[in-house]
Amino acid sequence: MSSPVDTPSGAPSRSGPAFDVWQLPRLNPEDRLVTGTAAGIAREVGIDPAYVRVSFVVLSLAGGWGLVLYVAAWFFMSRRSLSAEPYVPVDKAVTPQVRLIASGMVFTGLVVLSTVYGLSFLGPLVWPTVFIGAAVAIGLDRSRLDRLRPLGDMQNRTIGTRVVLGLALLFAGVISASFVSLSFWQAIGGIGVAALVLLGAGIVFAPVISSLGADLMAERRRRIRSEERADMAAHLHDSVLQTLTLIQKRSHDASVVSLARRQERELRTWLFDDKAMHPNLGFRAGLEAAMADVEDRYQLPLEVVVVGDCPTDDDVAALLQATREAASNAATHSGAARIDVFAEVGHGAIEVFVRDLGRGFDPADVDTDRAGVRDSIIGRMERHGGTAEVHSNTGQGTEVELRMPRRQATNPDEVETF
Amino acid sequence: MTEPIRVVLVDDHALVRAGVRAEIGDHVNVVGEADDVEGAIDVICALKPDVVLLDVHLPGGDGPAVIEGVKRANVETCFLALSVSDAAEDVIAVIRSGARGYVTKAIDGSELIDAITRVAAGDAVFSPRLAGFVLDAFAGQIPAAEIDPELDQLTNREQEVLRLLARGYAYKEVASRLTISVKTVETHASSVLRKLQLSNRHELSRWAAHRRLI
């Protein structure tokens, strides 16, 4: 927490689709022969689909393994469109070459198991198959679930347990397979080959495992950070904000009061700012910033109340400028001790009221020397299709009413979407 | 003011309590202070003050916890929330628990005394900020304050009053602007508070309906 200022800007960019780091290989319907499974795998590994298809055929002849693998792959592969977004390999260490070699190891291992040891899928291998199937299901199902919801509520231990359980099942399956109607030495050899298969599978699935770990770490870091921030916010709220308020009330030095006020506002923005959660909010933030600026420049408190919000466009920007001008005018000319600014974003229009209880003026006297009002407030509003009215009476303060119709192009419901 | 209004200060900062006491002590009778939820409930139940100045954030729970506790003890008093907090949800939560108004700590002494007097008389005290929060709450912008859209809408007049209050108008100015009496403005303000507080139970049943619990 050495630089708390960067936390709000850093936090929002990490939320959202960041969980989607590792993606299941996608089916490749464009190059498909049957279902696009082989083409998808080929694309993932970076080889010609023909090799994959031949491998499946060979493995199918070798005890039916190919058929099982094919159906499983088809079942688990992503249906997401290839053009949806580019595939981003997570683990740079696992290059396509390594994946290719690893896939080769699995392939060769299975061929050796089935031909040399006669381990046909359709033979007396129901139990081993169940074990291996369960292991694969646990491994793949997990990553599949994670794509559907954030990892946040998944405990580290759960993942560890599942990985260990999956690997144990896999090993049990292969070993029990080896002992089915085999001599001791044959079985030992079988275990060796099985270990090769496991190693290959491990390399193939390494990106899944490592991306799960990375996701988990990132998620945990995020959580710790937000907890720390909440703690700190509570603490600052209780101590520093209170003190700053007190300084403003008890100090009679205008510059001290202004400094304390600015500090309070900055701190408050940091503590209570929910802009990070609603990136679409433009008007409220813009108005608050503009009014803070006026407050600093004229060392006068502005009570700013905003209802609703909307994104900023040219018209809204003009409205903000006009409001700033009106508030500056009030601060310069009215002599009031406080200026009230109220803005309401309605479905049809945005209305802003800038009011002071200062000396006011007779609108009839408004002549060339108040060109500021005419040009920068009324003129600006009218150029953008809005209206501005100035109500004032000598001795009774001034109120500027600004009204800017909202363009229908912007969705009238967006203020209610959060 | 024949008899000064009896006030209890609830704030976890001695410094703030001392500051507020110094500002209002000459005009109202500050009979007690408390710095946490438990203490506040005890002091309020023992002293039965006319008005409680209640900080929104307190150790051992927040402002609403104090109001609930005092309600459970069947002690009649009026709460005026006083806070530096700008978080709309927190402020609305205190109002919904039964506070009669909300002012920020930056308020000056005479305004605070005015607000205390008004609350003691049973009126609602709307600072411009509170009026803005309430408008937001009824527009569904403050998630903590879901309001039943059919049962608890504000009338047009109530919205007009709230908007003027948010623009910084005093009750008297609102009255002359709308050509109604100050008493009517007070009635509107109170009825807005009541709607905000009543909508609690609708919120609960809606919550349950949403989750198909009933």
Side-chain angles (χ1 to χ4, degrees):
Chain A
M1 295 310 290
S2 57
S3 57
V5 187
D6 66 17
T7 316
S9 60
S13 65
R14 290 288 300 140
S15 60
F19 294 108
D20 222 348
V21 179
W22 184 79
Q23 294 166 1
L24 287 166
R26 298 175 206 172
L27 294 178
N28 184 352
E30 288 162 28
D31 297 335
R32 72 186 178 140
L33 213 58
V34 185
T35 59
T37 306
I41 292 173
R43 183 175 173 274
E44 191 79 6
V45 182
I47 54 173
D48 194 290
Y51 294 117
V52 183
R53 295 194 181 108
V54 168
S55 306
F56 273 127
V57 172
V58 170
L59 282 175
S60 299
L61 295 175
W65 287 101
L67 211 59
V68 178
L69 279 179
Y70 186 87
V71 171
W74 172 78
F75 181 78
F76 284 114
M77 276 168 78
S78 168
R79 263 85 187 144
R80 200 185 265 229
S81 158
L82 281 177
S83 55
E85 67 220 50
Y87 169 74
V88 184
V90 179
D91 192 341
K92 297 267 165 31
V94 183
T95 59
Q97 288 89 338
V98 177
R99 287 169 153 244
L100 188 57
I101 294 168
S103 305
M105 282 163 68
V106 176
F107 172 75
T108 318
L110 288 176
V111 170
V112 169
L113 276 178
S114 53
T115 51
V116 177
Y117 294 94
L119 294 185
S120 157
F121 170 69
L122 305 166
L125 286 169
V126 182
W127 282 112
T129 311
V130 168
F131 281 138
I132 294 173
V136 169
I138 284 174
L140 286 186
D141 188 44
R142 251 208 58 66
S143 56
R144 180 159 258 249
L145 280 177
D146 288 342
R147 288 172 40 71
L148 299 178
R149 65 183 159 72
L151 265 171
D153 47 346
M154 185 62 75
Q155 293 301 311
N156 205 3
R157 233 181 45 217
T158 321
I159 291 182
T161 313
R162 296 188 80 137
V163 167
V164 168
L165 189 67
L167 287 179
L169 278 171
L170 203 57
F171 209 69
V174 175
I175 288 176
S176 60
S178 310
F179 278 105
V180 175
S181 67
L182 292 176
S183 75
F184 177 74
W185 287 112
Q186 275 178 314
I188 293 297
I191 290 171
V193 177
L196 261 183
V197 172
L198 271 184
L199 186 64
I203 295 172
V204 168
F205 287 107
V208 187
I209 294 159
S210 80
S211 80
L212 282 183
D215 262 6
L216 202 71
M217 291 277 281
E219 173 61 21
R220 187 191 276 165
R221 257 201 307 277
R222 248 195 310 278
R223 205 172 45 232
I224 289 173
R225 244 180 165 191
S226 85
E227 273 169 15
E228 263 178 6
R229 187 161 179 264
D231 276 356
M232 186 137 120
H235 174 70
L236 288 177
H237 181 271
D238 281 358
S239 56
V240 185
L241 263 187
Q242 303 269 10
T243 312
L244 287 173
T245 313
L246 213 64
I247 290 172
Q248 287 171 57
K249 291 179 68 175
R250 308 289 276 179
S251 172
H252 301 289
D253 184 336
S255 63
V256 171
V257 171
S258 151
L259 184 67
R261 211 176 152 78
R262 190 165 71 225
Q263 289 297 323
E264 182 199 341
R265 194 174 48 238
E266 281 170 7
L267 187 57
R268 208 181 275 261
T269 312
W270 184 75
L271 288 179
F272 300 115
D273 200 5
D274 55 356
K275 264 176 265 150
M277 276 163 251
H278 312 312
N280 200 22
L281 308 192
F283 173 70
R284 181 187 290 252
L287 184 70
E288 279 168 358
M291 295 303 101
D293 195 38
V294 172
E295 194 169 78
D296 284 346
R297 186 165 307 162
Y298 298 97
Q299 314 240 321
L300 195 70
L302 267 72
E303 182 75 22
V304 183
V305 177
V306 188
V307 173
D309 202 352
C310 68
T312 312
D313 58 17
D314 283 358
D315 294 348
V316 174
L319 176 64
L320 287 175
Q321 281 293 327
T323 308
R324 176 196 285 267
E325 202 63 39
S328 303
N329 270 346
T332 322
H333 301 298
S334 76
R338 191 184 80 188
I339 298 167
D340 286 298
V341 179
F342 172 59
E344 185 171 27
V345 180
H347 285 324
I350 309 172
E351 288 180 299
V352 178
F353 303 87
V354 179
R355 182 171 187 261
D356 67 70
L357 286 177
R359 60 176 72 96
F361 60 93
D362 186 346
D365 290 345
V366 176
D367 46 31
T368 43
D369 73 311
R370 301 297 290 260
V373 174
R374 243 200 309 270
D375 291 349
S376 57
I377 301 180
I378 302 176
R380 181 176 269 135
M381 290 300 289
E382 284 172 354
R383 274 197 297 281
H384 286 267
T387 56
E389 287 176 42
V390 182
H391 305 283
S392 188
N393 275 313
T394 311
Q396 289 179 17
T398 307
E399 185 165 39
V400 179
E401 298 189 21
L402 306 171
R403 188 171 193 282
M404 183 65 78
R406 298 184 65 192
R407 282 191 199 147
Q408 282 314 298
T410 57
N411 174 14
D413 288 330
E414 82 234 296
V415 286
E416 284 167 10
T417 51
F418 45 85
Chain B
M1 244 196 288
T2 47
E3 202 155 296
I5 298 167
R6 299 172 69 244
V7 175
V8 164
L9 298 177
V10 181
D11 196 302
D12 50 326
H13 292 87
L15 216 57
V16 172
R17 293 200 304 270
V20 172
R21 190 191 267 270
E23 274 189 322
I24 64 172
D26 294 341
H27 300 85
V28 300
N29 183 10
V30 180
V31 292
E33 294 181 6
D35 62 1
D36 61 3
V37 171
E38 290 295 309
I41 296 172
D42 292 346
V43 168
I44 295 165
C45 292
L47 297 174
K48 299 187 171 57
D50 301 312
V51 175
V52 178
L53 283 183
L54 182 64
D55 191 7
V56 172
H57 295 285
L58 286 173
D62 278 339
V66 175
I67 301 181
E68 306 294 339
V70 171
K71 265 192 204 158
R72 264 198 302 277
N74 273 325
V75 172
E76 283 285 319
T77 184
C78 296
F79 291 93
L80 176 61
L82 178 72
S83 175
V84 291
S85 170
D86 254 350
E89 292 87 347
D90 301 341
V91 174
I92 292 293
V94 178
I95 296 294
R96 285 164 76 85
S97 331
R100 302 288 300 162
Y102 165 74
V103 290
T104 55
K105 279 180 185 164
I107 192 174
D108 71 41
S110 63
E111 283 178 306
L112 182 54
I113 290 161
D114 184 49
I116 292 171
T117 314
R118 199 127 23 106
V119 166
D123 289 333
V125 170
F126 276 88
S127 56
R129 193 162 290 279
L130 176 60
F133 285 160
V134 172
L135 281 170
D136 254 349
F138 276 95
Q141 304 256 317
I142 300 175
E146 275 186 36
I147 283 158
D148 192 300
E150 276 154 32
L151 291 166
D152 293 307
Q153 272 309 322
L154 298 177
T155 65
N156 283 341
R157 226 350 149 17
E158 284 161 356
Q159 287 194 24
E160 273 180 303
V161 169
L162 276 183
R163 287 204 180 96
L164 288 172
L165 291 171
R167 281 158 71 173
Y169 283 61
Y171 280 20
K172 207 172 64 203
E173 294 165 314
V174 175
S176 76
R177 171 91 182 212
L178 299 176
T179 55
I180 53 180
S181 71
V182 175
K183 198 71 223 160
T184 312
V185 175
E186 282 163 1
T187 311
H188 284 312
S190 294
S191 108
V192 168
L193 277 199
R194 204 176 50 247
K195 283 183 181 182
L196 199 58
Q197 287 155 6
L198 275 184
S199 53
N200 272 320
R201 69 189 148 84
H202 302 313
E203 182 186 27
L204 193 66
S205 60
R206 235 157 60 108
W207 181 86
H210 264 308
R211 286 157 186 76
R212 304 192 185 287
L213 293 178
I214 52 173

